[in-house]
Amino acid sequence: MPGLPADRRQAVKGYGARIREQVRQRITDSGKAKDDTDPGSAGPRRRTDLRLALPAVLVWSASMAGLWLPPTELAVLCCTLAALGGLFLTVAANGRRKRKVRAAVAHGTKPGNRRSRGRSFSAAVGFSLALAAAAAAHSAAASSQRSDGPLAEAVASGKSAVAVVEVAGSPRALSGPGGSGQRWVVPVWTHEVATGGVLIRIRAQLRVMGGHGWGTVLPGQTLRATGKLHHAEPGSPEAATLAASSPPGKGGGGSWLEGSASGLRARFVAASAFLGPDARGLLPGMVTGDTSALDEGLENAMKLVGMTHLTAVSGANCSLVLGALLLACRRCRLPRVPAAAVAVGGLGLFVVLVGPDASVLRAALMGAVAVASLAGGRSGRALSFLCLAVIGLLLADPALGASFGFLLSVLATLGIIVLGRRIIAWIPAAVPRWAAAALAVPLSAQLLCGPVIVLLQPQFATYALPANVVASPLVAPVTLLGTAAVPLVVLLPWLATALIAIAGTFSAGVAATARVAAQLPGSALPWPEGVPGLLSMAFLSLLAFAALWAAARPRRLLGWVRAAHAWTEARIGLLEDRFTGLCDPGSPRSLERGPGHGRLGYSTKSSEGTLRWPPRKSGHPAPRHRTLPPGGT
């Protein structure tokens, strides 16, 4: 600090050091303070494993790029990713070799006897880029079918075609209740396409839009479809859309398992006919995903309050089935590996029963990875399991990268993994753990899924969280009892009827919750569309999470407020000493006490006598303006 005496500079430095030490001490004390409502802080906190997060993000980005880029640009992207991945892996290998040599020289041992600590960042990036290149290469095949080749020429000509196709998924209804105007969308894979006298043998993904007869097809069936080819929507994974002009022609049937599963679903719907109107439509939807008997009013009510995920089999159902199978195997004292094998086999049969949709496949793969990790003795790495499931599914089917259902499923699982445990730990210990989980699971999923939901449905479901919290204890009995009743419909019909009656009672409670919440005032509030709606909902979710944290940790919040106040006070003191103490005591801007008894000095550009304060009044009277009365002219 030039211009100050040595003792003054030393005093200012000492004052700043003391303030910094006080701020540091307050921040440390506030970090050590534990709130009484934090039961999860008793044990050591596990570190979040993020090693597979970067590969998952890069693979997802490459999969989405493959749906939009033309083949040439996609090939360039694939080569670039592969080259960068190889470069990073080479750098990582060279760095590891050098570290081994340096360690061997320092310790006097051979280079091969000392292992390097962990994997370097370059190796992780190289591995991630290699996986992204593989996803882009997989997407390039579908992209070439959409842009070049005989199928693209047939689509551009707009002629009628006769295609032999294999059903790849369950039919999805496009309009309301069944009837002559019912339309269905069926994903298929082509075997051959005949158009304009030319037979094209190609395996490409199509989307068939048909009416009567297309709602009963089964996955794995080989059918003959007649219609007109149209261009697929931009960003869709299909090579084209076939508007079917007739019912599906006869072909090979699906597998024995798929046919049996379809028969079981139909018999389960028929066995539930004795229930009430809401229960007999909702129970098959919650157990097998069959919503053909679901009442339209109940479906709209569940959409209004954010409960549509209950009518589609998703990760929650797979988790319940997997957990019940594992618990039963452990109760029978089966070893870890056989219990895991039985659980995975049962989960596979459940997937076949409900149909291999995207969300079910994701949940099944996630459950299989978790069971494999438990069989190997490693648990507590749920985020790594999720990333591994995402990478595996996207490498197998890059089209999932553009699916909103897949995105919502991943976000819901991510919210439960990252935020669910923390929210449960913040709830007071006096609250039962099952009640804390019933609140934490839907809240954590809603916080991350809310910004995406408003893109699909621009409205704010005011009672979504309370409705899901009330319905969550009813979902487990419906899923477990209903799933157990499906095979018993054939083996022991009387026992299946009893289980269906109990599960139907719980499903009626779910339906009543949805209807009551939908009839409350302000159940659906308008929300901005597009990116503004997404950003505003993300900000609202962040505020809700911050408010929950502040309510759960009042002492820590108070400590942080005090630390922030002390830091601000210290910075103001340092700035005051720095900018007001740089000048000499005799300076007009100085705040030092001098002959003026500590009064603030000032300067003026006037060269005349000393200014007088207060200023002298003028001797001339101020001019007064006459004010006319109201209405005067």
Side-chain angles (χ1 to χ4, degrees):
M1 298 180 184
L4 283 179
D7 56 347
R8 178 63 177 174
R9 288 199 301 270
Q10 190 64 27
V12 171
K13 290 182 180 179
Y15 176 74
R18 289 194 302 272
I19 291 297
R20 286 192 293 271
E21 183 62 27
Q22 293 177 5
V23 172
R24 196 177 297 112
Q25 184 64 30
R26 290 193 179 187
I27 293 177
T28 303
D29 295 342
S30 64
K32 291 182 179 180
K34 298 296 181 180
D35 196 79
D36 296 335
T37 61
D38 189 8
S41 61
R45 178 179 296 179
R46 292 179 178 177
R47 301 175 63 181
T48 304
D49 192 353
L50 299 175
R51 288 177 294 179
L52 292 178
L54 181 60
V57 172
L58 290 180
V59 169
W60 201 324
S61 302
S63 301
M64 292 190 64
L67 299 176
W68 294 93
L69 295 179
T72 304
E73 298 180 4
L74 190 57
V76 173
L77 175 63
C78 183
C79 295
T80 303
L81 291 174
L84 290 177
L87 178 61
F88 275 97
L89 290 176
T90 303
V91 171
N94 293 335
R96 186 176 183 180
R97 191 180 302 111
K98 291 179 181 179
R99 287 194 300 270
K100 286 185 176 181
V101 172
R102 286 196 299 265
V105 172
H107 292 79
T109 59
K110 295 181 180 181
N113 292 340
R114 184 174 178 85
R115 298 179 62 186
S116 176
R117 289 186 178 182
R119 298 177 180 177
S120 64
F121 177 74
S122 300
V125 175
F127 178 71
S128 305
L129 292 173
L131 289 177
H138 193 175
S139 301
S143 178
S144 62
Q145 293 175 351
R146 291 192 298 267
S147 303
D148 303 319
L151 182 60
E153 295 177 358
V155 173
S157 63
K159 297 180 180 179
S160 298
V162 178
V164 178
V165 299
E166 178 184 349
V167 180
S170 302
R172 181 172 58 89
L174 279 181
S175 55
S180 58
Q182 181 78 55
R183 301 287 293 175
W184 301 88
V185 175
V186 183
V188 299
W189 287 95
T190 62
H191 289 178
E192 58 184 35
V193 179
T195 177
V198 179
L199 181 63
I200 306 172
R201 298 185 181 275
I202 186 174
R203 183 169 177 80
Q205 189 174 2
L206 297 183
R207 183 175 62 173
V208 177
M209 301 180 64
H212 177 69
W214 285 99
T216 58
V217 299
L218 299 177
Q221 276 188 306
T222 302
L223 305 172
R224 185 177 300 274
T226 304
K228 193 172 183 180
L229 292 171
H230 299 279
H231 288 284
E233 298 179 358
S236 61
E238 294 85 9
T241 299
L242 178 65
S245 58
S246 61
K250 293 183 179 181
S255 66
W256 176 80
L257 279 177
E258 292 167 345
S260 301
S262 177
L264 282 177
R265 289 195 296 267
R267 297 189 67 169
F268 183 75
V269 173
S272 305
F274 70 93
L275 299 175
D278 288 346
R280 67 167 171 257
L282 184 59
L283 180 60
M286 295 183 66
V287 175
T288 64
D290 189 348
T291 58
S292 58
L294 186 63
D295 181 70
E296 184 178 3
L298 178 59
E299 184 177 5
N300 293 333
M302 298 187 75
K303 288 182 180 179
L304 202 63
V305 296
M307 297 176 64
T308 53
H309 60 93
L310 298 178
T311 60
V313 178
S314 60
N317 304 75
C318 292
S319 300
L320 289 171
V321 172
L322 186 63
L325 290 174
L326 279 175
L327 184 60
C329 291
R330 298 302 291 174
R331 294 286 293 180
C332 295
R333 299 186 181 277
L334 286 179
R336 181 182 296 171
V337 176
V342 172
V344 171
L347 183 62
L349 292 177
F350 178 74
V351 170
V352 173
L353 173 65
V354 302
D357 294 333
S359 60
V360 179
L361 287 176
R362 195 274 314 163
L365 182 58
M366 181 71 180
V369 172
V371 171
S373 66
L374 291 176
R378 292 188 177 186
S379 59
R381 295 183 177 179
L383 184 59
S384 297
F385 301 153
L386 176 62
C387 294
L388 189 61
V390 169
I391 293 172
L393 285 174
L394 289 176
L395 289 178
D397 186 8
L400 290 176
S403 172
F404 275 101
F406 181 69
L407 176 60
L408 289 173
S409 181
V410 173
L411 287 178
T413 308
L414 181 63
I416 295 172
I417 291 172
V418 177
L419 304 179
R421 292 182 178 179
R422 289 177 171 82
I423 295 176
I424 291 176
W426 294 347
I427 296 176
V431 180
R433 292 296 89 184
W434 63 268
L439 173 63
V441 169
L443 176 59
S444 57
Q446 183 69 26
L447 288 177
L448 292 189
C449 294
V452 180
I453 292 176
V454 296
L455 290 179
L456 303 175
Q457 191 175 5
Q459 66 180 21
F460 179 73
T462 310
Y463 308 107
L465 179 60
N468 281 277
V469 169
V470 173
S472 58
L474 308 176
V475 175
V478 172
T479 302
L480 297 179
L481 296 178
T483 305
V486 172
L488 294 177
V489 169
V490 179
L491 302 176
L492 297 172
W494 62 271
L495 183 56
T497 302
L499 294 179
I500 289 174
I502 301 174
T505 303
F506 288 101
S507 64
V510 175
T513 302
R515 288 190 180 275
V516 170
Q519 293 175 359
L520 293 176
S523 57
L525 302 178
W527 200 263
E529 300 181 1
V531 178
L534 184 146
L535 295 178
S536 58
M537 181 58 70
F539 181 69
L540 181 62
S541 299
L542 183 61
L543 285 181
F545 184 75
L548 182 63
W549 179 90
R553 284 180 165 83
R555 293 185 180 179
R556 185 172 296 184
L557 177 63
L558 183 59
W560 282 18
V561 171
R562 290 178 177 175
H565 175 73
W567 182 86
T568 306
E569 186 179 17
R571 298 305 300 175
I572 292 175
L574 291 177
L575 290 176
E576 183 182 61
D577 287 338
R578 178 172 296 179
F579 291 105
T580 62
L582 292 177
C583 302
D584 295 333
S587 174
R589 296 175 56 190
S590 175
L591 294 179
E592 296 292 333
R593 291 182 177 270
H597 303 287
R599 295 178 181 177
L600 193 64
Y602 58 90
S603 61
T604 178
K605 295 183 180 180
S606 177
S607 59
E608 298 181 357
T610 305
L611 294 177
R612 180 178 177 180
W613 190 264
R616 184 184 296 106
K617 293 184 178 180
S618 175
H620 301 282
R624 297 184 178 180
H625 301 280
R626 182 181 178 186
T627 304
L628 296 177
T633 56

